[in-house]
Amino acid sequence: MSTAAERVQHEGLRGKIMSAAQAAEFIADGMTVGISGFTGAGYPKAVPTAITEKAQAAHAAGKPYKIRMITGASTADECDGVLARANAISFRSPFQSDPTMRNQINAGDAAYMDVHLSHIEPQVRAGFFGDMDVAVVEVAGITADGKLIPSLAVGTNVTWLQYAKKIILEVNAQQNAKLEGMADIYDSIGLPPNRQPLMLTEAGQRIGSPYLACDLDKIVGIVLTDASDRNSKFAEPDEMSKSIAAKIIDFFSHEVKMGRLPKNLLPLQSGVGNVANAVLAGLQDSPFNDLVGYTEVLQDGMLDLILSGKMLSASATALSFSPDALQRFNDNIDALRSKIILRPQEVTNNPELIRRLGIIGMNAMIEADIYGNVNSTHIMGTKMMNGIGGSGDFARNSFLSFFVSPSVAKGGAISCIVPMVSHHDHTEHDVMVLVTEQGLADLRGKSPRERARLIIENCAHPDYRDQLRDYFDRAEKSGGGLHTPHLLTEALSWHQRFVETGDMRVK
């Protein structure tokens, strides 16, 4: 494996190699900083710690020091975590998953703007967040002619490199050198009224360059690293996850039988987490072959489908693997280079492309109400969990839109099916299928009242079904409007009961 220094092939840029502490000197208090990374892959490993040390020194001297931080999605403890613990972030967008960052957001110590992932790049380009002062971007290498080899995540790097006033690159020798050629970088989308169509008609098609590009004069520092990505280990699918997966796969079989899906289905998008991986694992033993992936994050389950031959190709903006899966990826990278395509997230999450390709979108939720509205971001309506991520991009535009969740949480104290969601992320208009371990509710072609009966009987936990039936029956009889019956004095009482007693159940 080559060293990080050997990865900097451009003669002129070798003179800009410096320490992380030296690079951090380009980042001052109050600056807006674009950070690379998407779901624990491709984030900078050294400069965030150096920024942290700078912030700690400033705070010890009684001076202010915080940055405004915009990323592609979540990073990892070496980035979000260290900065949050140093109280070095004043503003964060568009998605995060760090516990300390989450606590600061919910305590009001850091401002947070939750943004659809397909929207963040055009909003930055349009200037909604002000100028981007510095971009800190990880790459796998720099070619002799100054082209940048993407690491395991492309994310928002195209826009950050174009719009930041100054650029700091982290060249990571831990990233496989054979990543060169795996990416498909397309950056000619533009802003209204000059946006151009994305000429991508198949999920496995390539339309761009394998390299990132930037004005080399904007590069003020290059930091050499040799550190792995977050590489979180996924738990083995439990019985609940397997049950949800089996219901989805049975649904696919039914749709194929009815002629609404082809035998190899349609391009699959899968959200992050154990349930998502369980669905993909279930497809290994399914009757479906020649599958195709078109998703944000390619995880263990989709990698294994490709390696087994079940899936022909997959397109994503990031590769986020467990340590074992990363080893399988590196062991087979020569064969995988033609089967995996890394794209900018503005392409992977592009609403028009999702609609055109007919994606099957599968995402997690925190709760759904009896009419099919979904909350995927807030706990009890007020506390931010992580953010909407790309679920809205896929939910509204997919050919089939699934939301999945266990039917209860906190040992049964919380029902994930409620009379009214405490926060709306996805309205009933964008939610086609709800799945819990209890069952599946196909909401297509159903009126609100038909949806309610289906969701209560198929998806709610038995401990809560009678409560839900009682609420819905009384709402229907209340005379307050029969299209979408609600008892407004009780609609959020389940959440209030939990806040007051720690349990949604009526004792």
Side-chain angles (χ1 to χ4, degrees):
M1 181 179 288
S2 58
T3 66
E6 292 170 335
R7 300 282 185 98
V8 183
Q9 295 291 311
H10 188 279
E11 292 288 345
L13 292 177
R14 285 177 180 165
K16 295 184 178 182
I17 294 174
M18 61 182 64
S19 69
Q22 289 172 313
E25 288 304 307
F26 290 101
I27 301 173
D29 174 50
M31 280 188 170
T32 296
V33 182
I35 299 281
S36 69
F38 195 104
T39 316
Y43 56 90
K45 314 295 192 293
V47 174
T49 296
I51 297 172
T52 293
E53 292 167 353
K54 189 175 179 180
Q56 290 170 331
H59 297 164
K63 298 177 181 178
Y65 188 93
K66 289 187 177 185
I67 63 170
R68 292 167 52 83
M69 178 173 164
I70 309 176
T71 60
S74 59
T75 61
D77 186 69
E78 305 100 305
C79 189
D80 265 304
V82 295
L83 289 165
R85 288 192 293 276
N87 197 24
I89 300 175
S90 63
F91 174 88
R92 182 71 172 84
S93 192
F95 184 89
Q96 61 76 43
S97 63
D98 181 78
T100 306
M101 187 76 258
R102 182 184 305 125
N103 289 339
Q104 290 185 353
I105 290 167
N106 288 321
D109 295 330
Y112 178 65
M113 182 176 178
D114 194 14
V115 180
H116 292 297
L117 295 188
S118 69
H119 290 183
I120 190 67
E121 288 182 82
Q123 289 186 9
V124 166
R125 291 200 304 271
F128 294 180
F129 296 87
D131 292 339
M132 180 170 285
D133 298 293
V134 182
V136 185
V137 175
E138 181 186 83
V139 295
I142 305 173
T143 68
D145 57 353
K147 295 175 182 174
L148 310 181
I149 302 169
S151 65
L152 285 175
V154 173
T156 52
N157 292 347
V158 170
T159 299
W160 284 195
L161 292 168
Q162 288 177 348
Y163 282 79
K165 296 176 183 177
K166 296 178 181 179
I167 296 168
I168 298 168
L169 298 178
E170 284 200 10
V171 179
N172 188 355
Q174 193 77 194
Q175 299 279 3
N176 197 316
K178 291 184 177 180
L179 285 169
E180 185 173 2
M182 186 173 279
D184 185 57
I185 307 301
Y186 183 83
D187 63 355
S188 301
I189 299 173
L191 285 171
N194 301 310
R195 288 180 70 91
Q196 298 299 307
L198 281 160
M199 302 310 293
L200 204 161
T201 56
E202 296 179 3
Q205 188 179 356
R206 292 177 182 270
I207 59 173
S209 163
Y211 301 102
L212 292 161
C214 71
D215 179 350
L216 300 186
D217 290 336
K218 293 200 301 183
I219 298 174
V220 296
I222 296 174
V223 178
L224 307 180
T225 65
D226 190 353
S228 63
D229 282 322
R230 186 174 66 195
N231 300 138
S232 300
K233 182 174 177 60
F234 295 104
E236 289 296 318
D238 57 16
E239 291 306 311
M240 180 211 67
S241 299
K242 290 179 181 178
S243 175
I244 292 174
K247 290 172 175 59
I248 292 174
I249 291 167
D250 284 347
F251 179 85
F252 288 160
S253 296
H254 177 262
E255 292 300 287
V256 170
K257 183 179 179 181
M258 296 298 293
R260 290 190 285 257
L261 286 178
K263 290 182 179 179
N264 67 334
L265 307 181
L266 288 167
L268 299 169
Q269 178 264 337
S270 178
V272 176
N274 293 325
V275 173
N277 269 296
V279 173
L280 296 172
L283 286 168
Q284 287 283 8
D285 300 319
S286 74
F288 308 114
N289 296 298
D290 298 333
L291 300 169
V292 173
Y294 192 88
T295 190
E296 302 166 300
V297 183
L298 197 155
Q299 295 182 277
D300 294 22
M302 198 167 281
L303 174 67
D304 291 337
L305 286 171
I306 296 171
L307 290 174
S308 70
K310 274 277 188 177
M311 182 170 279
L312 299 177
S313 68
S315 168
T317 197
L319 310 181
S320 184
F321 297 134
S322 68
D324 291 344
L326 180 62
Q327 187 62 54
R328 293 195 296 278
F329 172 79
N330 284 324
D331 289 345
N332 295 277
I333 194 167
D334 289 324
L336 292 170
R337 279 155 54 85
S338 64
K339 297 179 180 180
I340 292 176
I341 305 170
L342 278 170
R343 307 186 192 275
Q345 72 187 59
E346 194 179 5
V347 177
T348 61
N349 289 51
N350 184 278
E352 194 274 332
L353 273 182
I354 294 167
R355 182 73 60 90
R356 182 192 303 172
L357 296 175
I359 305 300
I360 297 173
M362 297 176 284
N363 290 282
M365 63 183 181
I366 290 173
E367 63 182 0
D369 66 28
I370 57 176
Y371 297 110
N373 301 290
V374 166
N375 166 22
S376 62
T377 60
H378 284 66
I379 305 299
M380 297 299 136
T382 60
K383 292 185 177 181
M384 171 59 65
M385 188 63 184
N386 296 330
I388 196 169
S391 58
D393 299 326
F394 287 93
R396 172 152 292 190
N397 300 290
S398 290
F399 179 75
L400 281 174
S401 169
F402 289 78
F403 279 94
V404 302
S405 171
S407 61
V408 291
K410 295 288 184 183
I414 293 176
S415 174
C416 296
I417 305 298
V418 293
M420 179 182 283
V421 287
S422 58
H423 177 88
H424 282 77
D425 288 299
H426 313 283
T427 73
E428 61 185 284
H429 312 292
D430 303 329
V431 180
M432 297 183 187
V433 185
L434 291 179
V435 195
T436 72
E437 82 285 3
Q438 301 297 323
L440 180 149
D442 180 0
L443 307 178
R444 296 171 301 172
K446 302 292 192 299
S447 69
R449 291 160 67 197
E450 290 171 328
R451 285 172 169 239
R453 296 186 182 96
L454 200 60
I455 292 169
I456 292 169
E457 300 307 322
N458 288 16
C459 298
H461 192 278
D463 288 355
Y464 287 95
R465 275 191 204 135
D466 284 344
Q467 277 183 239
L468 288 166
R469 290 177 187 131
D470 175 66
Y471 173 86
F472 180 65
D473 289 344
R474 288 187 295 111
E476 276 196 306
K477 295 172 183 175
S478 70
L482 291 181
H483 179 64
T484 307
H486 265 306
L487 301 170
L488 293 182
T489 56
E490 295 184 33
L492 296 175
S493 64
W494 291 33
H495 301 87
Q496 186 62 35
R497 187 180 305 121
F498 177 82
V499 170
E500 294 173 356
T501 71
D503 203 315
M504 282 186 174
R505 288 168 290 200
V506 176
K507 300 297 186 180

